[in-house]
Amino acid sequence: MSARCPGTAHLPEAPALVVRDLRVLRHGRPALEGVSFTLARGERLAVVGPNGAGKTTLLLALAGLVRPQAGEVRVFGAPPGRHLCLAYLPQRPAVEWNFPATVLDVALMGRVGHAGLFRRLTARDRAKAWEALERVGLAALAHRPIRELSGGEQQRLFLARALAQEAALLLLDEPLTGLDAPAQEGILALLAELARGGITAVVALHELDLVAQHFPLALLLRVRPLAWGPPARAFTPEALRAAYGTALHLLPVPEGTLALGEACCPKEQG
Amino acid sequence: MSPLDFFRIPLQHAFFVRAVLAAVCAAAACATVGTFLVLRGMTFFGDALAHAVLPGVALGYLLHRGSRAAVFGWALGTAVLASLGIGWVGRRGRLKEDTAIGIVFVGLFALGIGLISTVRGYAVDLVHFLFGNVLAVTPFDLYWVAGLSAGVILVVLGFYKELALATFDPLFARTLRLPTEFLRYLLLVLAAVTVVTALRVVGVALALAMLVVPPATGLLLGRRLPVALALALLFAVLSGFFGLFLSYYAGMAPGAAVVLVATAFFLLALLR
């Protein structure tokens, strides 16, 4: 599948994401400073760091939902503003799960931006929504009310909505929080499969072990970028200590270094 | 009395036919807008709006004695202003939104009662504003109520998928570049217009019921938004219709009767 993006003027050869010297203030204090990186199409980047490190802020800035004080973001060569092909998936509690909608209804919401005002969704929109549900393995639950979904199914539904939207860049905030191990593995496998189809993903996570196993690229963040690269190289004891401070204990074991985190259960806001 | 007579006898009166039509139209508009208010947790806002309209009604009543168009116009103007004002205070102030609503609501309501009370013998008129007076609906009133209700329902249907999306997931709506602020204010203005239609039927004090009860019933029974919305409309229309017959036969205030029927439907849905 090609990661094309209808309705927007993309530079054909531009990287999926270019971030230059990004600086964002929140509540008068810097939440992000000096963040620069380039992401080619189809790459998968995990953004890790302690609570309050600016992971969510980075995603919001990439989505164009907060305005940076300095620096710039280019999504496929254009400002993050007018992009139908960019999907931001907030942490799960952000929506009302009691809303009267079925799984298919929510997948169809991904098509609203394509339809335009006063136009009804067409058969093609429905086909796209079904296709998206099939790709995430939710087609069998299409007519189920969303309040009956498990945590992992909810995450997959969000992904399906992004696919129905034909998003070529996914921005995911803590998609694994509260999921059991099989559900986490399922989401990670799905992301890897989507990447093979040319879909670029930036994922905020706090599970260092899963990042090390499943992501080719990681950005270690604590307001400023502390390390960048494949996790095996980026997660050095020095960088991890700089990021987590005393919340992280490094234990030398025969296989290498074991990192034990105290940080759990993040409630990172904004 | 045959079952047919049960309906036929009251409908021989032109005033009763007008009352039924007005009640049904206003109830339909209330259910449509109310469904979105309920889903967004904005029912308190609807109540506040209904009360905040009172000073507008009072001014129209004081300045243009007897002119129904003036009262409608003033009520509409105040409702729109109050809804935008509440939206604005909630956005700007450091107060929580429900506090802001409470302040605007009580202040304007007191102003309304104060204004009406300057007129000698105001008690009867005040009761009409507070509890509606649907049996006194004139053909002119009916055109207004029907026109405004139809307008409200058409606008909601026109923006249906955007309103639904912005209600379910406002952040996602913003990433799709939907005009979420516009939709928010649109809903506030629609609520204002709706409240004005409800004013004639159930009055200030019971307008909230028509905004909340049929939508709650619809949401209780419908598992998808279009179904819930259709059921809310159905129960609203039935409440308006049967409420007036209850009023006729029990000699009950029509606004109260309509609300009682709506509440009975809700309880049945709850106990189902």
Side-chain angles (χ1 to χ4, degrees):
Chain A
M1 191 201 94
S2 73
R4 75 206 161 72
C5 182
T8 45
H10 278 186
L11 301 181
E13 294 312 316
L17 197 53
V18 177
V19 178
R20 249 179 249 124
D21 213 20
L22 197 64
R23 175 181 157 84
V24 181
L25 293 180
R26 305 214 82 180
H27 313 296
R29 287 188 305 144
L32 274 183
E33 245 180 331
V35 179
S36 299
F37 60 84
T38 299
L39 214 53
R41 297 180 185 208
E43 278 200 283
R44 267 175 308 138
L45 169 67
V47 180
V48 290
N51 296 342
K55 302 190 292 284
T56 298
T57 305
L58 177 62
L59 292 182
L60 289 171
L62 297 182
L65 292 170
V66 301
R67 205 175 278 279
Q69 264 64 40
E72 64 171 359
V73 174
R74 284 286 178 276
V75 179
F76 299 107
R82 325 229 151 269
H83 274 275
L84 266 185
C85 57
L86 172 159
Y88 168 63
L89 279 63
Q91 277 177 282
R92 233 179 319 122
V95 304
E96 172 61 53
W97 286 103
N98 259 325
F99 196 88
T102 60
V103 167
L104 180 60
D105 289 332
V106 173
L108 275 167
M109 287 181 187
R111 301 301 302 171
V112 167
H114 291 270
L117 274 182
F118 306 122
R119 301 235 178 80
R120 294 171 60 97
L121 297 178
T122 61
R124 186 169 171 275
D125 292 319
R126 300 185 75 80
K128 287 273 177 200
W130 272 108
E131 190 189 312
L133 287 177
E134 265 157 27
R135 285 183 73 186
V136 304
L138 283 183
L141 305 183
H143 297 296
R144 182 143 327 162
I146 54 169
R147 70 174 78 97
E148 292 174 13
L149 296 185
S150 70
E153 289 162 352
Q154 291 177 348
Q155 279 302 341
R156 281 192 288 171
L157 175 55
F158 271 137
L159 279 172
R161 188 177 67 179
L163 294 177
Q165 187 193 336
E166 296 179 82
L169 172 62
L170 301 178
L171 307 170
L172 284 71
D173 198 352
E174 300 279 4
L176 307 182
T177 303
L179 304 189
D180 57 16
Q184 292 186 335
E185 295 286 336
I187 299 283
L188 290 167
L190 182 58
L191 282 177
E193 189 205 312
L194 294 177
R196 283 193 289 279
I199 292 182
T200 314
V202 179
V203 188
L205 285 174
H206 66 275
E207 297 90 345
L208 286 171
D209 50 338
L210 292 177
V211 172
Q213 288 164 32
H214 292 274
F215 281 81
L217 262 181
L219 168 65
L220 188 60
L221 193 67
R222 185 176 186 176
V223 183
R224 303 177 149 278
L226 297 171
W228 165 274
R233 269 199 290 124
F235 294 168
T236 61
E238 297 73 38
L240 290 175
R241 209 172 270 125
Y244 290 89
T246 54
L248 194 77
H249 305 276
L250 298 174
L251 207 64
V253 292
E255 294 87 353
T257 308
L258 187 65
L260 299 172
E262 276 174 10
C264 98
C265 336
K267 266 275 177 263
E268 193 175 345
Q269 279 305 314
Chain B
M1 185 171 70
S2 78
L4 207 61
D5 284 345
F6 177 86
F7 293 108
R8 216 189 55 207
I9 292 170
L11 286 172
Q12 284 166 343
H13 310 290
F15 79 89
F16 191 82
V17 174
R18 285 196 301 272
V20 169
L21 289 175
V24 163
C25 288
C30 282
T32 310
V33 174
T35 299
F36 286 96
L37 292 183
V38 168
L39 283 172
R40 287 180 177 226
M42 284 168 59
T43 53
F44 182 50
F45 166 82
D47 190 29
L49 199 57
H51 286 77
V53 171
L54 198 61
V57 176
L59 275 176
Y61 166 75
L62 291 176
L63 297 177
H64 314 267
R65 279 265 153 149
S67 160
R68 297 217 177 258
V71 173
F72 254 118
W74 278 94
L76 199 55
T78 324
V80 172
L81 274 182
S83 72
L84 295 179
I86 292 170
W88 184 75
V89 171
R91 271 293 134 100
R92 281 198 67 90
R94 273 175 299 170
L95 297 170
K96 284 198 173 167
E97 190 162 36
D98 63 334
T99 313
I101 291 172
I103 292 166
V104 176
F105 161 9
V106 180
L108 286 173
F109 189 50
L111 179 64
I113 293 183
L115 283 171
I116 295 173
S117 69
T118 59
V119 179
R120 192 189 293 272
Y122 66 93
V124 173
D125 293 322
L126 183 61
V127 164
H128 285 172
F129 291 134
L130 288 182
F131 300 111
N133 187 16
V134 72
L135 295 177
V137 161
T138 63
F140 176 83
D141 290 339
L142 182 57
Y143 296 143
W144 269 87
V145 169
L148 290 177
S149 301
V152 164
I153 293 171
L154 284 178
V155 171
V156 169
L157 291 183
F159 288 97
Y160 172 78
K161 66 184 187 321
E162 285 79 14
L163 272 173
L165 174 52
T167 300
F168 173 62
D169 192 345
L171 203 58
F172 180 63
R174 274 174 65 201
T175 63
L176 287 186
R177 309 291 140 195
L178 293 186
T180 48
E181 276 301 279
F182 166 76
L183 289 171
R184 196 178 114 87
Y185 281 111
L186 178 72
L187 192 63
L188 299 188
V189 170
L190 288 174
V193 177
T194 308
V195 159
V196 173
T197 66
L199 217 55
R200 289 298 294 176
V201 180
V202 291
V204 166
L206 293 174
L208 174 69
M210 292 317 288
L211 284 173
V212 172
V213 179
T217 314
L219 288 168
L220 213 53
L221 298 176
R223 302 208 302 178
R224 299 183 58 233
L225 184 55
V227 180
L229 199 54
L231 287 172
L233 268 167
L234 175 71
F235 287 115
V237 166
L238 291 178
S239 305
F241 187 79
F242 288 111
L244 279 174
F245 285 91
L246 174 64
S247 155
Y248 183 90
Y249 286 108
M252 195 184 273
V258 169
V259 172
L260 279 177
V261 174
T263 311
F265 280 130
F266 174 78
L267 287 176
L268 285 178
L270 195 64
L271 298 174
R272 172 187 62 112

